[in-house]
Amino acid sequence: RLGKETFALQPEIFHIAKMPECEQAIKKSDLVIGMTTDILLLQVADACIRYRKSLIAPSALNRQMVARKAAAKENNVLLLMDCGFSPGLDHITAKKAIDNIHAKGGKITSFRTYSGSIVIDDASGNPWGMKLAEPVSELLNLGRQTNRFLLGGQLQHIPYHRLFERTESIGSDHLENTVAIHAGDSLYYRKVYGLSNAHTVIKGKLMPREFVHTWDILVRLGLTDSTSKIDFSGDGAPQNILAAFVPYSESSLEERLQQYGRASRDDIERLRWLGLFDASIPEEGVDLTPATIVQQLLEDKLSPLTDDRDHVIMEHQLSYEFREECYEFKATLVSRGEKLRDGALAKAVGLTCAIAAKSFLLGSITVKGLHTPVIREIYDPILNELSDLGVAFHVEDKKLGEAEPALR
């Protein structure tokens, strides 16, 4: 049940990795909602195209899925991607604001969008003061691809090993002690959102400042590397691996981290609590890389528990000109979950995807082919119902003054 409508569902259990079983379920479906890994989702998409069934998924659109664009259109099916939190809810809310400004004749000169999720952990003994709301694998992969954005008309590239050092402090009442990581290709949004006149286009992932400072040390040391195999002849304890990644000296490991890694006492305390100074050896049978060690420790210490409550934050900041006046538009969402099973991130992803599915089944969404929720026919019905369900942004639209002649 979603809103006033009730949909009849017939549960069927099958193994998602066994494609013959999966295809039989797809053939009997009116709509497929893909909540699976990217690799399996491509196979599901192929089956949907083959049997002319539409697919909605929260997964980010990638090049492999783009390659199925022509086939989806030819077979008259909808492949709707990016229906999660980010990407997803960010598309829906930002594009709505952008289209409204353009419709009244405004010219957008700057666009910034920030989002993030976190579990606050005030429990004594956790020097991080937080837990991870998203899978550790996503953190380890963050920033591995192209990281670029446009600032004041200048193109900016950030290589991975500098990504967590070149952060942006956010000037917002809701985002104190938070920084933005410029991961990913922000210029993609300039094209998709129709921001050809904007001199600044930035998309940032919000993370706690202290976490980023400590994580930057691990990145610069090479401890997030997933390609280099480690062989310590049975002595692959975290402290030995950590020691191997800082230059040798007769000083203590803590002093070497301070000198070479620019670690503060707080950083060292967080790394010690995480287990990087432990002498115990990880479980056997695991191919050791620096990243697998760090992943094991993070999953053990910073994974949320059932009773933990997460927060999600999203904010769009736009500057635009209208009738020779300058304006500043800001839309902010701050949501706190109840418990992990009813978390803020789970709600944002689940509701966005579910409302898209409902809108399709009721005929509000009729487009076919490969899409993301950046066109009005898709984002309007989703946004309207999200507001009814309590997922609403606080919006400010202020006039700043007369535009400078050079900017008109």
Side-chain angles (χ1 to χ4, degrees):
R1 182 179 178 89
L2 187 61
K4 297 179 181 179
E5 289 76 17
T6 301
F7 298 91
L9 301 176
Q10 182 176 349
E12 183 171 344
I13 299 174
F14 60 93
H15 198 302
I16 185 63
K18 296 180 179 178
M19 284 311 297
E21 294 183 23
C22 185
E23 289 191 11
Q24 287 302 313
I26 289 173
K27 287 171 68 175
K28 295 185 288 185
S29 302
D30 296 307
L31 171 68
V32 177
I33 301 176
M35 310 283 280
T36 184
T37 63
D38 287 348
I39 294 176
L40 284 175
L41 190 61
L42 293 172
Q43 299 179 52
V44 170
D46 288 337
C48 287
I49 293 171
R50 188 179 308 117
Y51 299 112
R52 298 178 182 271
K53 305 293 183 178
S54 290
L55 168 68
I56 296 176
S59 301
L61 179 64
N62 55 37
R63 292 181 179 179
Q64 291 87 347
M65 192 64 74
V66 171
R68 289 152 172 81
K69 181 177 181 178
K73 187 174 182 179
E74 181 180 341
N75 286 274
N76 199 38
V77 300
L78 170 66
L79 301 183
L80 181 57
M81 308 300 294
D82 287 7
C83 271
F85 173 62
S86 177
L89 187 59
D90 55 350
H91 284 327
I92 294 165
T93 51
K95 194 58 164 54
K96 172 79 170 182
I98 290 168
D99 286 350
N100 286 347
I101 292 172
H102 284 163
K104 70 180 183 180
K107 183 177 75 172
I108 297 172
T109 57
S110 174
F111 172 78
R112 299 170 184 259
T113 180
Y114 308 99
S115 60
S117 57
I118 187 176
V119 176
I120 303 297
D121 183 15
D122 296 324
S124 60
N126 179 357
W128 296 79
M130 55 151 286
K131 294 178 181 178
L132 297 170
E134 298 169 314
V136 175
S137 58
E138 292 189 12
L139 174 62
L140 287 168
N141 290 324
L142 183 65
R144 298 286 186 177
Q145 305 300 322
T146 301
N147 305 309
R148 62 177 183 169
F149 58 96
L150 194 65
L151 180 61
Q154 295 291 317
L155 183 63
Q156 297 283 290
H157 279 267
I158 306 181
Y160 174 71
H161 69 282
R162 290 295 182 91
L163 183 63
F164 298 92
E165 178 184 337
R166 289 177 56 181
T167 61
E168 177 189 359
S169 297
I170 309 300
S172 174
D173 297 336
H174 305 282
L175 305 175
E176 295 180 0
N177 202 33
T178 301
V179 296
I181 309 299
H182 297 131
D185 188 1
S186 295
L187 268 65
Y188 167 78
Y189 295 87
R190 190 186 195 204
K191 178 181 179 181
V192 171
Y193 290 172
L195 299 171
S196 58
N197 292 317
H199 56 68
T200 295
V201 180
I202 292 175
K203 178 177 173 61
K205 182 176 179 62
L206 298 173
M207 303 180 76
R209 187 186 303 274
E210 291 81 4
F211 176 89
V212 171
H213 190 272
T214 306
W215 187 252
D216 178 52
I217 294 171
L218 297 180
V219 171
R220 286 188 286 105
L221 289 178
L223 287 167
T224 60
D225 178 18
S226 61
T227 59
S228 302
K229 301 295 183 182
I230 297 176
D231 182 7
F232 277 83
S233 301
D235 195 14
Q239 67 173 9
N240 294 333
I241 294 173
L242 179 59
F245 279 79
V246 294
Y248 172 80
S249 78
E250 295 184 358
S251 302
S252 67
L253 182 54
E254 291 89 340
E255 291 174 330
R256 291 157 63 189
L257 275 172
Q258 288 176 323
Q259 294 167 5
Y260 180 72
R262 303 196 298 273
S264 67
R265 291 183 181 275
D266 289 338
D267 292 322
I268 291 174
E269 180 60 25
R270 284 190 280 269
L271 295 178
R272 186 187 303 279
W273 183 86
L274 190 63
L276 275 170
F277 287 83
D278 288 357
S280 58
I281 300 174
E283 57 186 85
E284 295 182 5
V286 176
D287 289 332
L288 289 184
T289 68
T292 56
I293 295 293
V294 170
Q295 181 169 353
Q296 288 178 25
L297 296 175
L298 287 171
E299 289 175 344
D300 182 49
K301 291 293 187 72
L302 293 181
S303 292
L305 302 176
T306 304
D307 291 335
D308 287 333
R309 301 175 67 178
D310 67 338
H311 295 69
V312 296
I313 302 174
M314 183 175 289
E315 184 164 289
H316 308 306
Q317 301 174 3
L318 291 82
S319 298
Y320 68 96
E321 300 169 20
F322 176 60
R323 294 178 179 173
E324 301 184 354
E325 299 282 348
C326 291
Y327 291 80
E328 182 180 78
F329 176 93
K330 183 183 293 186
T332 307
L333 171 71
V334 180
S335 177
R336 184 176 184 182
E338 296 302 320
K339 289 185 179 180
L340 193 59
R341 285 189 173 183
D342 196 22
L345 183 59
K347 275 186 178 180
V349 174
L351 288 176
T352 301
C353 199
I355 295 170
K358 171 186 170 180
S359 300
F360 174 84
L361 291 171
L362 293 179
S364 299
I365 297 175
T366 59
V367 294
K368 297 298 190 292
L370 179 65
H371 289 277
T372 58
V374 295
I375 59 175
R376 192 176 294 275
E377 181 180 341
I378 296 176
Y379 68 64
D380 257 353
I382 299 175
L383 196 56
N384 291 339
E385 187 147 356
L386 279 172
S387 181
D388 294 340
L389 293 172
V391 183
F393 282 67
H394 173 72
V395 175
E396 300 177 20
D397 197 357
K398 298 178 181 179
K399 183 166 69 173
L400 302 179
E402 187 176 351
E404 297 180 15
L407 299 178
R408 293 178 187 171

